[in-house]
Amino acid sequence: NKDICDIEGLWVKKQNKIYKNNPGRLPDINGLPHLDFSVFDNALFYKPMQGKLYKMVNIETSRGCPYNCTYCSSSKLKELARVHGCGSYYRNVNMEKIIEQIHYQIDKHAPEFIFFVTETFLAMSDEDFNLFIKEYAKIKILFWIQTRFETITEARIRALQEVGMFWLTLGVEQGNEKFRKDILNRSYSNKAAVQGVSILVKCGIGASLNNMIGLPFENRELIFDTIKLNKKLFEINDKLEFNVFMYVPYRGSELYDLCQKNGLLPKDYSIVSSLNDESVLNFPKEYKEELTGLMKTFNLYIKLPEKYYPQIKIAERSDKEGRAMFEQLSQLLK
């Protein structure tokens, strides 16, 4: 029967008055218990990876991100935590705790594959990295990571491969250096992407590259800068795979605010899915259709020689001729 109106982390409506309390202090993630997946159906552990299904568990190594990309809400959450004195939103799990987590999940679920849940796996100190390699050499279960081009070195990639790294994911996002820096706050160079992919070639490993289209202030020419960069990387390393996503504004991100300021968000906007094949922004109908067509043919433009580009342009269309051309060209990739 105590009053709850002043508890941090709660907004309380009482007698037609709303009490808005500050967010609660963020917990020390190293003091949290290991995640318990035992309540889930066993079928949910099986995930596809390069054409096969593996029993996979997730191992958390951090929360938040050290970077401040404008399309991500992480930087706003870091600022919110700072303003309200909640502690650091970006938090790393101690390497000893990570190793404990791995053994706990192995004993509990006997996984065939591990995904390390962190925005940038290789944004760790040499001390932590060396400890991970030393301890994971005793485990050697296949695993998959996400990281950034800037963090790749040959020594680290080879060390990870030796202890079981099967695959990695890297974010290209957008291929024009100036646009990427000015609009997305991603300051890596295309040269760094080439160097990173070249290291992967030397190590004999592929990667999935994530890309976005339909960004505010983007146009067909800028989208083709993304296609051209991916195509160049594919020419260097034919083990690469390419993901393309239609940009979705996340509430709280800097780019969301920019979309709102420029009248690009519908009045009733809410995120339904981050896997749309049609832009949610207030673009002209013709441009939205063009974006859907470019998303559909993205891999054709990357993987087929430029002599096919006129045919791929036809395949962008959603009419009968466009669909037939898309099916015909897709056969060339098999």
Side-chain angles (χ1 to χ4, degrees):
N1 296 318
K2 292 182 179 179
D3 188 5
I4 63 170
C5 291
D6 60 352
I7 295 177
E8 284 189 340
L10 296 182
W11 285 13
V12 182
K13 185 175 182 180
K14 185 177 181 181
Q15 296 175 346
N16 292 323
K17 182 177 179 181
I18 297 176
Y19 298 84
K20 298 181 179 180
N21 298 299
N22 285 338
R25 185 163 182 82
L26 293 167
D28 175 7
I29 55 176
N30 288 291
L32 298 177
H34 300 308
L35 293 175
D36 181 5
F37 301 127
S38 61
V39 295
F40 296 107
D41 189 308
N42 193 57
L44 295 177
F45 287 93
Y46 288 86
K47 304 293 169 85
M49 174 56 68
Q50 294 302 296
K52 293 183 179 180
L53 282 176
Y54 293 93
K55 188 176 185 183
M56 190 180 298
V57 297
N58 295 349
I59 301 293
E60 183 179 49
T61 66
S62 70
R63 293 188 186 178
C65 179
Y67 299 98
N68 294 300
C69 304
T70 61
Y71 51 87
C72 177
S73 57
S74 180
S75 58
K76 188 65 72 76
L77 289 167
K78 283 191 287 187
E79 177 66 10
L80 185 72
R82 185 191 66 79
V83 168
H84 289 286
C86 301
S88 175
Y89 179 74
Y90 174 54
R91 291 155 289 164
N92 287 301
V93 182
N94 294 334
M95 189 53 67
E96 292 82 358
K97 173 90 172 183
I98 293 170
I99 300 301
E100 282 180 22
Q101 281 192 74
I102 296 168
H103 285 293
Y104 175 85
Q105 298 299 349
I106 289 172
D107 292 344
K108 194 107 174 163
H109 301 296
E112 304 168 291
F113 212 108
I114 290 173
F115 172 49
F116 287 103
V117 183
T118 182
E119 301 292 341
T120 311
F121 184 84
L122 289 177
M124 65 171 72
S125 67
D126 287 340
E127 181 181 3
D128 279 348
F129 182 80
N130 292 335
L131 179 56
F132 173 81
I133 295 298
K134 177 184 175 184
E135 294 301 320
Y136 206 84
K138 305 169 187 175
I139 300 165
K140 282 201 170 182
I141 293 176
L142 295 175
F143 66 92
W144 162 44
I145 64 168
Q146 294 185 135
T147 194
R148 289 171 59 127
F149 289 113
E150 309 96 300
T151 65
I152 292 175
T153 66
E154 184 176 348
R156 283 194 166 191
I157 294 298
R158 289 195 184 280
L160 290 169
Q161 283 181 286
E162 286 175 8
V163 298
M165 184 176 70
F166 180 84
W167 201 250
L168 65 158
T169 299
L170 298 156
V172 172
E173 311 309 357
Q174 217 288 335
N176 182 284
E177 287 184 355
K178 187 176 189 309
F179 184 95
R180 192 169 60 231
K181 182 177 180 180
D182 294 347
I183 304 299
L184 306 183
N185 196 30
R186 289 289 300 267
S187 57
Y188 79 87
S189 66
N190 287 355
K191 182 179 178 181
V194 168
Q195 289 174 338
V197 165
S198 298
I199 288 172
L200 299 184
V201 171
K202 290 177 70 175
C203 298
I205 190 171
S208 298
L209 304 188
N210 288 340
N211 298 271
M212 288 186 288
I213 64 172
L215 292 156
F217 317 119
E218 195 180 42
N219 54 31
R220 186 179 180 91
E221 182 180 353
L222 286 166
I223 291 170
F224 264 85
D225 285 343
T226 304
I227 290 170
K228 288 173 187 174
L229 176 57
N230 282 270
K231 193 175 188 69
K232 184 175 184 179
L233 299 178
F234 185 55
E235 288 167 355
I236 297 169
N237 187 345
D238 63 4
K239 289 185 172 69
L240 298 178
E241 297 294 341
F242 304 91
N243 299 321
V244 58
F245 303 94
M246 194 70 72
Y247 167 66
V248 173
Y250 290 141
R251 197 178 298 272
S253 67
E254 189 177 330
L255 209 52
Y256 174 94
D257 295 340
L258 195 63
C259 289
Q260 193 171 50
K261 181 180 177 181
N262 286 272
L264 291 171
L265 288 180
K267 289 183 180 179
D268 58 348
Y269 172 74
S270 63
I271 297 174
V272 177
S273 170
S274 60
L275 298 175
N276 302 327
D277 59 5
E278 181 179 312
S279 175
V280 297
L281 298 185
N282 286 331
F283 291 137
K285 180 184 176 184
E286 295 77 11
Y287 184 57
K288 292 180 81 160
E289 290 174 353
E290 183 176 17
L291 287 172
T292 298
L294 284 168
M295 185 174 180
K296 179 176 72 169
T297 56
F298 192 79
N299 270 275
L300 295 178
Y301 277 117
I302 291 169
K303 295 184 176 181
L304 292 179
E306 290 188 21
K307 68 180 182 180
Y308 287 99
Y309 277 19
Q311 293 161 275
I312 301 175
K313 183 76 164 61
I314 295 171
E316 291 180 34
R317 304 197 317 243
S318 60
D319 58 20
K320 184 177 180 180
E321 184 184 6
R323 292 195 299 272
M325 183 62 75
F326 178 78
E327 291 300 323
Q328 180 183 326
L329 294 174
S330 296
Q331 293 300 316
L332 300 177
L333 299 184
K334 295 182 177 178

